Amino acid sequence: MIPFFKIDERIEKAADSALEKCKNEFEAINEITEFNQLKVQKAFIEHGISESHFIPSTGYGYGDRGRDTLDKVWATVLCAEDALVRHNFVSGTHTLTTALFGVLRPGDNMLCVTGTPYDTIHGVIGISGEGMGSLKDFGVNYSEVALKDGRPDLAAIKEAVNDETTMVYIQRSRGYELRPSLTVEDIQEIVSAVKTKNEKVIVMVDNCYGEFVEKREPLEVGADLIAGSMIKNAGGGIARTGGYIAGRADLVEKCSYRLTTPGLGKEVGASLGMNREMYMGLFYAPHTVGEALKSAVFIAALFEGFGYNVTPKYNEKRADIVQCLGLENEKSLVAFCQGIQSGSPIDSYLLPEPWDMPGYDSKVVMAAGAFTLGSSIELSADAPIRDPYYAWIQGGLNFHSAKICALLAAQHMLDEGILKGVNDGI
Ligand SMILES: *Cc1c(COP(=O)(O)O)cnc(C)c1O
């Protein structure tokens, strides 16, 4: 029945009923996608984007209209005073680092209010590592407020913020945790709690995986600065590298001095030939995020149907594109990732195996068959081989492609005799 791929009839049936279950969620996703697409389109029209904006600059990149206007389009979309959108940001971590070092000064106090942040930020703050020039090395103090039952602890946050607090840092996405992602409304609650204690506090949001998942972005509810990666939601699967920072104009300006040099800031930086895909990436981003969300919702419904723990559930509110899947043991994790890989458009012939990845305290298995290396707006699955044996799945450039990968993952598990609900005859 499914053309080109061999899928067991029982899995096909499970897929049909999963899809049936997802109808309301898909409709809600479509509505958000349309809203955000129109928002982006309006911004393109407002700023009069033309072919001339795609002309590459070289050398210092003075007067690059395409680059400068791209900042303005992004600022309009995110309701920011200004934005700094560059292919020169090498990763999400680099973008966040530029923002942190751009804004914070020796003696300042940074307070993370969503527990310990994403792994790669630890070295930046100075939670781990030494002598690499972390914020700590430069005299920026750090403290954090733990989550309470996986949610921001508003009372403890209020307690922790005082006159000395310079920055409150919020991570919107779950990252590699099982906690729920923060909705824009959650962020609004934190902002108002924080600003009643100290109205001067800079609220910064790590917006990775969150862009275009909802109709509003964090700057619309009082955040001062946000940042994200172009090889996640913001690049729409088109941009091949880069990042963005957006928010209050004075803060974005400071970040620009950190990205290039004090004094030069945003005025320099050759766009080479990158502008066209940066624009096109933004144009595609709302739609691509919608496809990724549908992929996540479908995978949740399908594997919950087989009897696995999933978080979020298919019908739970989402504020990022990440789907966690409890696969219960190493064999299932590996089989799942191998199945996903086998259906990927790129590198389908590779067989993912667990390995000791630097920076992790257990082996990790990863499936990623992407056009852009490391892109996680494209379908990818990562799983540390340790209790509770969860896979973190994200992305999907288009739903149909992600769906067949999910079915192949189930098929692979069935072939190994370990697919719950089917192999055990439920
Ligand atoms: C991906 C991610 C980062 C870091 O981005 P890289 O591009 O991997 O450096 C930071 N924070 C969160 C929440 C992320 O999801």
Side-chain angles (χ1 to χ4, degrees), residues 91-94 96 118 120-121 171 173 175 206 208-209 229 232:
S91 66
T93 305
H94 179 214
L96 291 159
Y118 195 77
T120 59
I121 311 297
Q171 182 182 308
S173 170
D206 170 356
C208 282
Y209 287 138
S229 163
K232 295 181 178 174

Side-chain angles (χ1 to χ4, degrees), residues 69 98 110 125 127 133 150 194 228 233 255 274 350:
T69 311
T98 304
M110 170 183 177
I125 294 170
I127 298 172
V194 162
N233 302 21
C255 297
M274 303 294 280
L350 298 179

Side-chain angles (χ1 to χ4, degrees), residues 118 171-176 181 206-214 217 227-229 231-234 244 289 293 318-322 374-378 380 382 392-395:
Y118 195 77
Q171 182 182 308
R172 179 171 173 186
S173 170
R174 70 194 64 231
Y176 290 114
S181 45
D206 170 356
N207 207 28
C208 282
Y209 287 138
E211 300 89 354
F212 305 117
V213 173
E214 296 185 50
E217 297 293 336
S229 163
I231 61 169
K232 295 181 178 174
N233 302 21
Y244 75 89
V289 169
L293 283 168
R318 284 163 196 267
D320 66 14
I321 61 166
V322 182
S375 164
S376 47
I377 187 63
E378 302 186 51
S380 48
D382 319 333
W392 276 260
I393 302 152
Q394 55 273 312

